[in-house]
Amino acid sequence: MKLAFLASGRGSNFEALVNACQQGRVDAQPAMLIVDQPQAGALQVAQRLNIPAHVLPATDKATHERAIAALLQKEDIDLLLLAGYMRLLSPFLVGLMYDSRLGQSRILNIHPADTRRYQGLHGYRWALQNQLTQTAVTVHYVDEGMDTGPIIAQESLPILPNDDIDSLQRRGLALEHDLYPRALQSVIKELQSLCAVS
Ligand code: GAR
């Protein structure tokens, strides 16, 4: 299984996923990182971990996605992992990765909330502002909507009385870095069993 990653920022989930592959917890090869921002921290992570990286500016969405698609096809990518990629995908890219046996596109994302309760940016801030005592992190398939794809795995995240955005985000990210590789490995196992029967 060859993996490609799409990121816009820091890249801590990208790093956790690559580490999980390199440590044998995920049965896949991280093949490339694509970012839409030349200043994305994920680029330094890719350099450190020796993963080929591409900067594809997104001034025009259709051109941006065609360039992504060309790279995915050239490298024969099996799964696309969104890791802090702050854009919606169009039906073109979602359709390109559609797998009829899976009934989903082979695209995953992680979200810092329960996607049924909150979609969009700043999920940890939303949980604090709404004075929740518990929130969640969610790994889901990606469709054209904002955090609307079917849920693959979810873990709850307690909010402590003294939590601020820094402490909640720190514990939330630690949970994300554990959950995302486990959810990815479960999808890989499912794809392998689908391949074995077809
Ligand atoms: C993560 O908290 C991720 O859950 C969130 O962006 C952050 C990226 O951090 N994603 C979303 O909000 C998607 N709706 P990272 O660049 O360090 O992985």
Side-chain angles (χ1 to χ4, degrees):
M1 290 275 162
K2 287 179 80 178
L3 310 179
F5 301 86
L6 272 177
S8 302
R10 181 177 48 198
S12 72
N13 277 287
F14 164 59
E15 180 164 14
L17 289 164
V18 173
N19 282 337
C21 294
Q22 292 178 343
Q23 293 163 6
R25 285 180 284 126
V26 169
D27 199 4
Q29 178 204 342
M32 71 166 106
L33 169 75
I34 301 168
V35 299
D36 58 349
Q37 313 278 348
Q39 70 276 21
L43 284 173
Q44 276 94 61
V45 177
Q47 195 173 29
R48 182 154 42 80
L49 299 178
N50 229 356
I51 307 293
H54 305 266
V55 182
L56 299 179
T59 30
D60 174 66
K61 188 180 180 73
T63 310
H64 177 64
E65 288 202 351
R66 274 199 301 274
I68 294 173
L71 282 171
L72 298 180
Q73 288 179 321
K74 180 164 168 264
E75 292 296 325
D76 225 357
I77 295 298
D78 296 296
L79 273 164
L80 179 59
L81 285 310
L82 273 50
Y85 178 69
M86 295 305 165
R87 289 173 194 282
L88 294 182
L89 300 185
S90 76
F92 162 69
L93 209 49
V94 174
L96 181 82
M97 296 301 285
Y98 186 75
D99 182 326
S100 55
R101 291 166 305 177
L102 190 63
Q104 301 295 337
S105 287
R106 291 171 170 229
I107 312 175
L108 275 55
N109 194 13
I110 189 152
H111 182 66
D114 180 343
T115 48
R116 293 164 297 197
R117 294 194 65 190
Y118 179 77
Q119 305 83 30
L121 296 175
H122 310 303
Y124 296 126
R125 196 182 301 162
W126 164 81
L128 282 178
Q129 279 168 351
N130 285 276
Q131 301 180 335
L132 304 186
T133 54
Q134 178 170 298
T135 185
V137 302
T138 308
V139 177
H140 61 93
Y141 287 109
V142 173
D143 59 18
E144 299 85 352
M146 187 181 293
D147 306 315
T148 47
I151 292 173
I152 299 165
Q154 190 170 71
E155 290 265 346
S156 61
L157 173 64
I159 300 178
L160 308 177
N162 293 332
D163 262 336
D164 59 15
I165 187 63
D166 292 333
S167 62
L168 182 60
Q169 184 164 278
R170 193 168 338 107
R171 290 204 326 286
L173 279 171
L175 195 54
E176 292 185 33
H177 300 163
D178 177 59
L179 183 68
Y180 206 175
R182 285 194 283 120
L184 170 59
Q185 180 61 12
S186 76
V187 170
I188 289 171
K189 286 263 170 245
E190 188 174 352
L191 286 170
Q192 285 169 340
S193 67
L194 287 172
C195 289
V197 291
S198 64

